[in-house]
Amino acid sequence: MSIRTFAAIDVGSYELTIKIFEFSGKDSMREIDRVSKRLDLGSDTYAMGKISNEKMDELCRTLKDFSDIMKAYKVDHYRAYGTSAIREMENTIIVQDQIAQRTGIKVETLSNSEQRFMDYKSVASKGESFRKIIEERTAILDIGGGSIQLSLFDNDTLVSTQNVRLGVLRIQDYLNRFSVKSTQMEDVIWEMAMARLDTYEKLYLKDREIQNLIIVDDYLSPWAVKKSGGDSAKAMLDAKDFDTIFEVLRSQNPVQIAAAMDIPQERVPLVFISAVLIKCIAELMGVKLIWAPGVTLCDGIAYEYAEKIKMFRGEHDFEEDIIACAFNISKRYMVSRKRSETLENITTTIFDSIRRVHGLGRRERLYLRLAAILHDCGKYISLVNTGETSYQIIMGTEIIGLSHQEREIVANVVRFNHSRFVYDVQFIGSLEREAFLVVAKLTAILRLASCLDRSHKQKLKGLKAALKDGKLVLTVDTQEDIILEKGFVEVNAEFFQEVFSVEPVLKQRKIF
């Protein structure tokens, strides 16, 4: 069995990290080296929108060192990602080009939903420990430099995820600007957090009891794992244990804390901010157990790469998490669950039956499922301009695991299901030619599916689809009157035929 060496690079808000991994077989992923360099990019970005020339030079020097490390390990492949500090720069493209020219490393930018999804996968890489803890109601608190992400699990399923701008570096910037004294820090952080979390509690927690809280951060988690002897599975604290640790952070000075935790003194304020956020959220949710597995974005990057090359097959179905989140969004906007499930079933039946015609893959099938689930969300705002309002809702709502362009594909498919298809690529946003074609193909399928359930009465259960002699024959066994569905299929067949050169035909086989 061949051994592959992979490098994951995280250009973070507070530090740069490279991890070298070795893949030696199925489900075998081993970290063999890790190097980190403190570089506070976030403070510049969040305050000014750009980083200084000095930090740009240091960034490139560090990445050049990382390039040398990769050569020394004879790395087969690498992925380098920038998070919020890069993402929120005014001149992101220029910075990426400078890095590529000066270091040879291509740094891609992760959207927030992609970044948090990878962090989530990094926790899932802990295998049995992760699977066991999410059997109960669990939340993941992912603390970054610019924001936090709160994800809720119920019975092994991700039911909601929300981003809140309460990142550690962002809070530190406010504390510095407001000249907050050390004795005031805890109260000020708490007030800032609760001002944002009050609405979150009303919308997503309500009477929901959360038993466990999983922490993903670069501040407290590494220390928790170190304290447990390097075993991440044992880095668990009950609420009482955490209160004891928090009391130490609250009562000791930075020099004492730095010595006790074996961290640089300048890192102590960030650890304290992270600890206050954890305490605030743990009390808000009433959690009993806190797990800090010490995972980082680099672990998630490696996990995803291993999945793509089919050297790692986790038991958790991440695609179903994305679907579960979409159903929760549709519920918020009063979309009929039964209608969504019917459309999802019809669209995937059609998609699977014409694979050799559309040439799309599993990822595009996921977009189609999401569009079917969210097909009518805009009716919550307008019964007339449903397409446009649906588009705005989807573009304004984060769907974990989707990039900005992927969310734009889904939003446009839903929009054009309700309105005239626009052939001007520029009108539908920043989509490239390939993405535009995906929108056209998925729109044609969703429109046809909508015609097949035009009455919203789910008449066509057990629909079968087959491609025969240039026609898509849709056969249904039912005693119901389907004259409405037949009429709409005939009226709307033109666009489907234009996109696929296939004529849809609905046939009824009555059951007696």
Side-chain angles (χ1 to χ4, degrees):
M1 176 97 39
S2 63
I3 296 174
R4 293 201 194 194
T5 310
F6 175 76
I9 298 174
D10 172 14
V11 182
S13 303
Y14 183 74
E15 67 182 11
L16 309 180
T17 302
I18 181 171
K19 281 191 178 185
I20 309 295
F21 294 88
E22 189 177 83
F23 303 110
S24 56
K26 285 281 185 184
D27 299 335
S28 176
M29 184 174 90
R30 185 170 71 93
E31 180 186 328
I32 57 177
D33 199 3
R34 169 185 175 155
V35 177
S36 294
K37 172 70 183 292
R38 188 204 162 189
L39 181 57
D40 184 358
L41 301 176
S43 295
D44 281 11
T45 297
Y46 306 142
M48 301 176 291
K50 296 180 182 180
I51 60 171
S52 64
N53 291 330
E54 292 76 20
K55 284 188 179 175
M56 184 67 198
D57 291 340
E58 193 174 350
L59 170 59
C60 289
R61 276 196 300 271
T62 304
L63 289 176
K64 189 70 175 66
D65 291 341
F66 286 0
S67 178
D68 293 338
I69 290 170
M70 288 193 286
K71 287 174 186 173
Y73 276 102
K74 297 181 180 177
V75 164
D76 297 303
H77 296 282
Y78 79 92
R79 291 285 184 277
Y81 290 113
T83 55
S84 63
I86 301 290
R87 184 170 63 240
E88 295 184 30
M89 287 179 184
E90 295 174 1
N91 59 341
T92 298
I93 295 174
I94 292 173
V95 169
Q96 288 173 313
D97 180 66
Q98 278 286 305
I99 292 170
Q101 296 298 327
R102 295 168 64 175
T103 71
I105 292 176
K106 181 183 178 184
V107 175
E108 299 174 66
T109 306
L110 288 175
S111 68
N112 180 70
S113 60
E114 290 174 300
Q115 176 191 339
R116 306 304 181 166
F117 201 51
M118 282 193 186
D119 283 340
Y120 166 36
K121 285 186 173 183
S122 71
V123 180
S125 71
K126 293 303 174 183
E128 184 59 32
S129 298
F130 170 72
R131 288 191 294 275
K132 189 173 180 181
I133 201 169
I134 64 168
E135 286 174 1
E136 298 179 313
R137 286 185 171 175
T138 299
I140 294 181
L141 170 58
D142 185 353
I143 303 174
S147 64
I148 64 172
Q149 191 84 12
L150 284 163
S151 304
L152 300 180
F153 287 83
D154 196 351
N155 294 325
D156 198 24
T157 302
L158 182 66
V159 294
S160 77
T161 182
Q162 287 296 314
N163 187 253
V164 186
R165 287 205 164 191
L166 282 172
V168 169
L169 290 177
R170 203 182 294 275
I171 290 174
Q172 187 185 47
D173 181 54
Y174 282 127
L175 296 176
N176 292 339
R177 276 197 274 169
F178 301 158
S179 302
V180 177
K181 296 177 183 176
S182 58
T183 54
Q184 301 171 305
M185 278 180 62
E186 183 182 340
D187 288 340
V188 172
I189 297 167
W190 196 280
E191 287 178 5
M192 288 173 65
M194 287 310 301
R196 297 288 183 93
L197 294 171
D198 182 58
T199 304
Y200 175 84
E201 180 187 18
K202 291 172 184 173
L203 288 174
Y204 299 100
L205 294 180
K206 296 179 182 176
D207 299 324
R208 190 189 296 269
E209 290 182 6
I210 306 297
Q211 278 82 26
N212 309 312
L213 183 64
I214 302 173
I215 306 299
V216 179
D217 79 333
D218 294 325
Y219 312 102
L220 212 58
S221 294
W223 173 79
V225 173
K226 194 186 298 181
K227 195 170 182 291
S228 65
D231 187 349
S232 61
K234 294 179 180 177
M236 295 190 182
L237 306 164
D238 61 28
K240 205 171 190 180
D241 291 335
F242 182 78
D243 285 343
T244 302
I245 293 168
F246 186 79
E247 192 55 43
V248 172
L249 292 171
R250 175 194 276 155
S251 59
Q252 294 189 352
N253 63 48
V255 176
Q256 292 171 313
I257 295 169
M261 298 184 71
D262 190 25
I263 59 173
Q265 192 174 325
E266 65 267 18
R267 200 178 182 90
V268 171
L270 303 180
V271 171
F272 184 71
I273 293 170
S274 185
V276 175
L277 290 173
I278 294 168
K279 183 171 175 60
C280 178
I281 289 163
E283 290 189 7
L284 184 72
M285 294 179 172
V287 300
K288 297 176 178 65
L289 183 72
I290 296 173
W291 180 35
V295 294
T296 66
L297 177 62
C298 288
D299 298 293
I301 295 170
Y303 186 102
E304 185 163 276
Y305 171 75
E307 279 186 315
K308 285 181 179 176
I309 63 171
K310 303 192 186 321
M311 293 193 78
F312 203 99
R313 184 178 55 81
E315 293 183 17
H316 192 77
D317 192 336
F318 294 104
E319 189 171 290
E320 287 307 311
D321 284 326
I322 300 173
I323 294 298
C325 280
F327 270 117
N328 276 281
I329 294 167
S330 70
K331 182 180 178 182
R332 193 187 316 159
Y333 293 103
M334 308 288 215
V335 180
S336 164
R337 175 92 184 204
K338 190 178 285 187
R339 162 79 167 163
S340 290
E341 288 175 341
T342 299
L343 278 186
E344 185 189 1
N345 182 55
I346 295 173
T347 54
T348 51
T349 298
I350 296 171
F351 183 95
D352 294 342
S353 69
I354 58 170
R355 282 185 184 278
R356 62 186 176 87
V357 174
H358 59 58
L360 303 177
R362 179 173 175 172
R363 193 67 178 175
E364 289 78 16
R365 192 178 189 271
L366 173 63
Y367 306 154
L368 183 60
R369 293 178 68 192
L370 294 171
I373 293 164
L374 298 168
H375 70 283
D376 265 356
C377 61
K379 284 186 177 178
Y380 185 84
I381 297 171
S382 172
L383 294 175
V384 177
N385 298 312
T386 304
E388 288 303 317
T389 51
S390 296
Y391 174 86
Q392 295 299 333
I393 286 172
I394 296 169
M395 290 307 296
T397 305
E398 192 169 75
I399 302 175
I400 194 168
L402 296 190
S403 67
H404 178 85
Q405 176 164 287
E406 288 178 316
R407 195 161 80 246
E408 199 164 13
I409 288 172
V410 174
N412 275 300
V413 172
V414 175
R415 169 161 55 173
F416 296 130
N417 181 50
H418 293 279
S419 58
R420 184 179 63 86
F421 191 84
V422 177
Y423 295 86
D424 183 357
V425 179
Q426 293 189 352
F427 174 79
I428 61 173
S430 56
L431 297 183
E432 297 171 355
R433 179 181 178 276
E434 291 75 14
F436 171 78
L437 289 173
V438 171
V439 170
K441 291 175 181 180
L442 299 187
T443 299
I445 294 172
L446 183 58
R447 278 189 183 181
L448 180 59
S450 296
C451 292
L452 294 170
D453 189 41
R454 191 67 182 193
S455 66
H456 292 210
K457 290 183 176 180
Q458 294 80 51
K459 296 177 187 177
L460 307 187
K461 290 177 182 176
L463 176 76
K464 293 178 182 176
L467 198 58
K468 296 177 182 176
D469 302 323
K471 293 184 179 181
L472 175 63
V473 181
L474 303 158
T475 308
V476 60
D477 296 329
T478 181
Q479 290 179 312
E480 299 259 15
D481 184 347
I482 61 168
I483 188 169
L484 183 67
E485 285 74 16
K486 277 187 172 180
F488 273 101
V489 168
E490 290 172 8
V491 169
N492 291 278
E494 185 180 344
F495 185 66
F496 189 91
Q497 205 164 352
E498 176 189 338
V499 173
F500 298 116
S501 294
V502 171
E503 180 189 356
V505 178
L506 179 58
K507 290 188 175 181
Q508 181 179 17
R509 219 166 32 202
K510 291 195 176 183
I511 304 172
F512 297 98

